[in-house]
Amino acid sequence: MIDPHVHCRDGKQTYKETIRHVFEIANKQCVEKIFDMPNTNPPILYEKDIKERLKLVPENQKGNYFLYIGATSNKKQLEEAVRCYDKYKEIVGIKLYAGKSIGNLALINEKAQKKFYQILSNLGYKGVLAVHCEKEIYLKPELFDPAIPITHSYARPKEAEIESLKDQIKFSEESNFKGNLHIVHVSCPESIKLIDKERKEMRITCGVTPHHILWSNEMLNRPDGLLYKMNPPLRDEKDVETLRQYLKDGRIDWIETDHAPHAIGEKLFTPFLSGYPSLYLKDFVSKFLPDIGVDKKLIEKLTFENIYKIFENKLK
Ligand SMILES: [Zn+2]
């Protein structure tokens, strides 16, 4: 299997997770290749960051480690990002945080995002643009009360994801973006509907995490509920049911774990970080998915074939 969305941390966050350790657990989970995300500390934005990052890859895993380069609205940085995409086989695409999640790597306002798409289109970029969709003006951080963890899902409502997704589609169309727009960790059925509507018009794909398929936000009501705090948050029972159905219907392109470990104290106490160590694909794929009626052929597509198709130029 390929896991096209992990956070290996390393650098100043080595105490949370490392590339070496992710490969150890990935291999036990039958995952061969991983795509790392650039919201590290320091973030991956320039060629020098890529070079440093690649030094951390264990010798026996070269060829299995891939990563996204981060995006800013700075023209020079984006030129370098596109150049690195062309130059390094390991760079699978550009990642845009259209809302702040973990780290400071984000382009939160519409004007900056619009400019970003325009620059990328002018540069003739045709690779994958992976976007974390959560629109800041719809977030209500004041609603989060750590004593009642489920308030996290009210603080980051699904409207934030849906409205951000609409923005990405609009900016992508307006700028005549020729790349593949990939919406990461889709958390609600409304997003899938919007994406399906665009599939004929543009190159667009979406991924879902195991946790958004497995659990509703009821998990946040458990005594250890803070552990289930992630961005975007877990949604209600009805949304989970519908997401499962859409997965079975083949309306989701792939599974991406969004494996994002923190130290347990950072989750249970201030700053109550979002993220879940979710690289447990083996049981999810061999037991849970067949149990809810996803057939073997579709599982192969969700964990390998569909991913391979989009990233073939990098993976072959
Ligand atoms: Zn992520």
Side-chain angles (χ1 to χ4, degrees):
M1 293 188 282
I2 301 168
D3 186 349
H5 189 151
V6 295
H7 295 267
C8 294
R9 315 290 193 200
D10 246 311
K12 287 179 186 158
Q13 300 176 324
T14 296
Y15 69 96
K16 293 180 195 251
E17 184 57 289
T18 62
I19 295 174
R20 183 175 294 275
H21 180 253
V22 167
F23 273 115
E24 279 171 26
I25 52 175
N27 289 163
K28 284 183 195 147
Q29 296 293 321
C30 308
V31 171
E32 190 191 36
K33 297 183 192 317
I34 57 166
F35 298 1
D36 197 3
M37 289 296 170
N39 61 337
T40 45
N41 183 6
I44 312 296
L45 294 173
Y46 296 99
E47 183 167 18
K48 65 170 176 34
D49 306 319
I50 296 168
K51 282 185 175 160
E52 285 305 308
R53 193 83 184 153
L54 293 178
K55 282 184 201 160
L56 302 171
V57 181
E59 202 54 46
N60 63 343
Q61 296 296 354
K62 298 227 156 97
N64 290 328
Y65 178 82
F66 298 86
L67 78 160
Y68 279 93
I69 187 163
T72 67
S73 58
N74 178 298
K75 194 169 170 228
K76 282 227 152 59
Q77 187 270 326
L78 287 172
E79 281 170 0
E80 189 160 333
V82 171
R83 197 158 39 75
C84 289
Y85 173 81
D86 292 334
K87 180 172 171 185
Y88 290 85
K89 202 174 171 165
E90 292 91 345
I91 301 294
V92 284
I94 297 173
K95 171 81 182 266
L96 169 67
Y97 289 84
K100 238 188 217 162
S101 182
I102 294 294
N104 291 320
L105 190 58
L107 282 184
I108 58 175
N109 71 62
E110 283 179 49
K111 210 174 143 206
Q113 290 177 17
K114 204 179 152 111
K115 184 179 162 200
F116 160 82
Y117 276 90
Q118 200 56 62
I119 295 171
L120 219 51
S121 296
N122 290 346
L123 289 168
Y125 178 69
K126 292 193 178 65
V128 171
L129 170 63
V131 189
H132 176 127
C133 289
E134 276 188 297
K135 191 166 181 169
E136 292 277 328
I137 55 167
Y138 289 87
L139 300 182
K140 302 167 188 152
E142 68 282 1
L143 293 186
F144 174 61
D145 174 1
I148 313 165
I150 198 168
T151 51
H152 177 61
S153 42
Y154 315 141
R156 297 181 84 104
K158 54 185 184 174
E159 286 68 32
E161 176 176 306
I162 297 161
E163 293 305 318
S164 174
L165 171 56
K166 285 182 188 164
D167 283 350
Q168 308 315 310
I169 292 169
K170 186 174 84 186
F171 297 147
S172 166
E173 282 171 351
E174 279 174 4
S175 67
N176 201 14
F177 179 63
K178 289 279 188 286
N180 184 108
L181 185 60
H182 176 68
I183 310 303
V184 300
H185 49 49
V186 161
S187 72
C188 57
E190 291 87 341
S191 296
I192 313 273
K193 280 189 198 156
L194 274 172
I195 290 163
D196 275 345
K197 247 181 31 202
E198 295 303 320
R199 283 188 193 267
K200 278 200 190 96
E201 311 296 324
M202 59 193 287
R203 292 165 64 205
I204 187 164
T205 49
C206 65
V208 75
T209 70
H211 40 265
H212 288 107
I213 290 291
L214 279 169
W215 304 318
S216 75
N217 54 12
E218 279 300 314
M219 293 301 272
L220 288 144
N221 286 330
R222 290 165 44 131
D224 59 354
L226 283 167
L227 297 181
Y228 297 89
K229 180 175 180 280
M230 64 257 309
N231 301 336
L234 297 174
R235 305 300 183 191
D236 67 25
E237 203 69 56
K238 202 167 158 258
D239 283 338
V240 175
E241 276 298 310
T242 314
L243 269 190
R244 286 179 185 177
Q245 189 55 50
Y246 287 3
L247 185 73
K248 281 193 265 188
D249 295 342
R251 296 172 70 171
I252 294 166
D253 294 272
W254 58 71
I255 311 276
E256 48 186 45
T257 66
D258 195 16
H259 175 69
H262 296 289
I264 197 160
E266 298 171 314
K267 289 198 60 69
L268 296 180
F269 304 99
T270 315
F272 307 104
L273 293 180
S274 293
Y276 194 84
S278 42
L279 224 171
Y280 44 78
L281 273 180
K282 199 174 160 190
D283 275 359
F284 179 72
V285 156
S286 64
K287 294 194 178 105
F288 181 79
L289 289 184
D291 274 357
I292 63 164
V294 184
D295 67 56
K296 210 175 151 217
K297 237 184 139 45
L298 183 54
I299 292 174
E300 279 167 17
K301 282 187 182 169
L302 290 167
T303 56
F304 184 81
E305 280 171 31
N306 289 350
I307 306 165
Y308 192 87
K309 238 187 257 169
I310 297 295
F311 296 95
E312 198 178 1
N313 61 330
K314 299 289 178 176
L315 294 170
K316 74 178 172 214

